[in-house]
Each structure stands twice: as structure tokens, then as C-alpha cells.
Amino acid sequence: MRMRPTLSWTPAGELPPGTTDLEPVVGALRAGGVLVLSGAGISTESGIPDYRGEGGSLSRHTPMTYQDFTGGEAARRRYWARSHLGWRTFGRARPNAGHRAVAAFGRRGLLAGVITQNVDGLHQAAGSEGVVELHGSLDRVVCLTCGDVSARRGLAERLEEANPGFDPVPAALNPDGDADLTDAQVAGFRVVPCGVCGGVLKPDVVFFGETVPAARVERCRELVRGAASVLVLGSSLTVMSGLRFVRQAAGEGTPVLIVNRDATRGDTLAAARIGLPLGPALTAVAERLGVALGGEDPADG
């Protein structure tokens, strides 16, 4: 029987203080071979809230778990109603300065790779290539019965047709694209089946309580082994799916740097945590390195 997923953590002892000195990040990038590990905090400046920062969604919202989703039709109806509404906003989000900086560092050959815990696709929209989506992506849908993978855009169109006039006002949007709706607001929402076999559709993301595919984990471990340093951007490292790579790096003697305004579960393993907002911090780093961030949004060009 699976345990409920870890949604929060409490430091067991005193954590090292954060700093505002960006020089360690500048130095690591100047040396090259930096592996970026990003979390929800890098997307907050794009209008997508994080889970655990100030005003984070976990203070009012419990994310859908794999066990709940597969456990019954009512949970799936609630999820798809909320996710369908959230997708309208989530799908319009655009990369911010933090995403553009990471893409610019990649173009300059300073990175060993990018691993993201996010499901928003904003690193790729900013121009980053070869991004490993640790938790999948909301722009794809997978059938749990036949395994068919399709574009979220097609499902959105089918849901619009099946639910004409569905336009409730959500209380908030969450990092997983889930809009906060009441039971009354989701009542009567019609879920559509797989167009290939009639089976159950699920977003191609790793829900809380679900296991990241082994091949994906091994790909991330390979990237850690080949990196000169690991740069964590906007992640509290609360869940093991991301923390394990920081632990691996530290265990192998690879320096870890963290840029996150709040304390993280990996602070004791890091050479430094820079407690600054990501967009301004990474913009300042790029300026020091003479790296131009480029256009506002390559996806629009």
C-alpha cells in the first residue's frame, strides 16, 4: 500500500542562512557544465503560483493523487472539470526572464542540461532544448487503457463540445493547472473517453503518489554524473523526485547551488542558497556574464 505523498517538511535542525551574493552562480556558469534543476518557483513570474512559497497553493489546495484519480469516476470528473478550466489560463502562460535566462545560458554552451519538475512547458517555449520533464507535461494526454498519447489541444476541443457553456469562475489557479472549483461548479461536467479505445484519459504528468518512470530517473542521474555543478532554481526540494539528484550530486562531490527565496530541504547539501527572486537574479547573472536574454517569447515569433 502506498503512503500519502510528502507535501511538506520541517527542518530537523538549524539551516545555513541564505545569501544575496550571486557570485557563486556566476562563477559556476562561467566554468560551464552546469546542470539546471528547476521547480515551480521559476514559473511564478509567468502567473503560475508555486506550491510552498508565500501564498503557495498547498495552503488551500491538496493536489490530485494517482490513487484518487484511478480510484473512481467522481474524482476524475472533478479533476477534468478543474483542469479543463485551468488549461485555458495555464495554456496562455508565457516564459519569464528566468526561463529566458536558462535558455540563453544553454545557447552559450554553459549548461550540461536542464531538468524541470514543472509541467508547464515554459522552458521549451523560451528556447531551451533537450529539457527532461521529470513530471511530464500538461500539453499531452495518455490513455491508461491502450497507452495512446495525444495532444492536450484535441482533448480541450472535445471537452468544450461535450460541455457547452461551462465557464465557472475559479477561486484560484494551481501549479498543476488545476483551477479551484466547488463541488457544485463541477457537478454535471462530462468527461470524454479515449478516442482510440474508449478508455480512461489522464494528463501525461506524474501525479503526487505516482512513480517517475525509471528510464527518466536514470537519464537524470546520468546528467548529474556528467555535470560540473548543479544549479537548483525555484524548488523547495520537498519531494524526493527532485531531492534525490541533489543528494546524488553532493554524494559525488559535485557542487550544488540553490536560488530560492525560501529555505529548502537541500540547503544543508548546498554550497550556498541565494535567497532572491529568480527573474531579477538570473537577469543580473546574465548581465555579469555578458549573455543576452533574447526576445520576450520565441514561441510567439
Side-chain angles (χ1 to χ4, degrees):
M1 178 172 152
R2 289 181 185 271
M3 300 291 288
R4 296 292 288 182
T6 299
L7 300 180
S8 63
W9 66 280
T10 301
E14 192 76 17
L15 291 176
T19 179
T20 57
D21 181 12
L22 289 168
E23 191 53 38
V25 178
V26 173
L29 284 163
R30 185 176 285 122
V34 175
L35 174 62
V36 167
L37 172 62
S38 72
I42 199 171
S43 294
T44 56
E45 293 168 39
S46 294
I48 299 175
D50 64 9
Y51 285 109
R52 300 173 181 85
E54 184 178 351
S57 69
L58 289 183
S59 63
R60 53 175 167 72
H61 162 73
T62 299
M64 175 62 69
T65 67
Y66 182 78
Q67 293 76 12
D68 290 339
F69 186 86
T70 57
E73 292 182 8
R76 290 193 290 274
R77 180 182 301 109
R78 183 171 65 253
Y79 174 80
W80 279 120
R82 293 162 59 119
S83 183
H84 177 57
L85 187 64
W87 175 253
R88 295 173 181 171
T89 300
F90 201 88
R92 292 194 296 268
R94 291 293 176 261
N96 61 54
H99 300 111
R100 295 196 299 274
V102 171
F105 298 149
R107 287 192 296 270
R108 283 286 292 269
L110 307 180
L111 302 184
V114 178
I115 301 170
T116 185
Q117 299 174 89
N118 300 338
V119 295
D120 53 35
L122 292 179
H123 277 299
Q124 295 93 321
S128 288
E129 298 180 354
V131 178
V132 179
E133 297 173 314
L134 188 61
H135 296 151
S137 177
L138 276 177
D139 68 1
R140 299 186 301 270
V141 181
V142 62
C143 176
L144 296 181
T145 304
C146 71
D148 180 68
V149 177
S150 57
R152 177 64 176 266
R153 185 184 308 106
L155 175 63
E157 293 172 354
R158 294 176 62 204
L159 288 173
E160 290 284 359
E161 293 174 359
N163 298 277
F166 180 74
D167 196 24
V169 178
L173 179 67
N174 302 307
D176 52 6
D178 185 18
D180 280 348
L181 297 176
T182 66
D183 289 343
Q185 287 175 308
V186 305
F189 186 85
R190 292 184 57 199
V191 177
V192 299
C194 171
V196 175
C197 74
V200 173
L201 293 175
K202 171 185 173 293
D204 193 13
V205 302
V206 178
F207 281 145
F208 280 86
E210 189 176 3
T211 301
V212 178
R216 197 176 300 166
V217 173
E218 181 53 33
R219 172 57 181 152
C220 293
R221 291 198 181 282
E222 290 176 359
L223 288 172
V224 174
R225 286 193 287 270
S229 60
V230 173
L231 176 61
V232 179
L233 301 177
S235 176
S236 67
L237 299 171
T238 295
V239 295
M240 188 55 65
S241 62
L243 179 63
R244 60 182 146 192
F245 304 122
V246 169
R247 288 181 171 176
Q248 177 190 347
E252 294 172 354
T254 302
V256 175
L257 297 167
I258 300 174
V259 184
N260 196 67
R261 286 201 287 187
D262 300 316
T264 83
R265 198 176 173 187
D267 282 7
T268 57
L269 302 172
R273 176 178 62 83
I274 294 85
L276 293 171
L278 275 165
L282 293 181
T283 299
V285 168
E287 289 174 352
R288 293 192 195 181
L289 292 170
V291 174
L293 298 195
E296 286 297 302
D297 185 1
D300 290 339

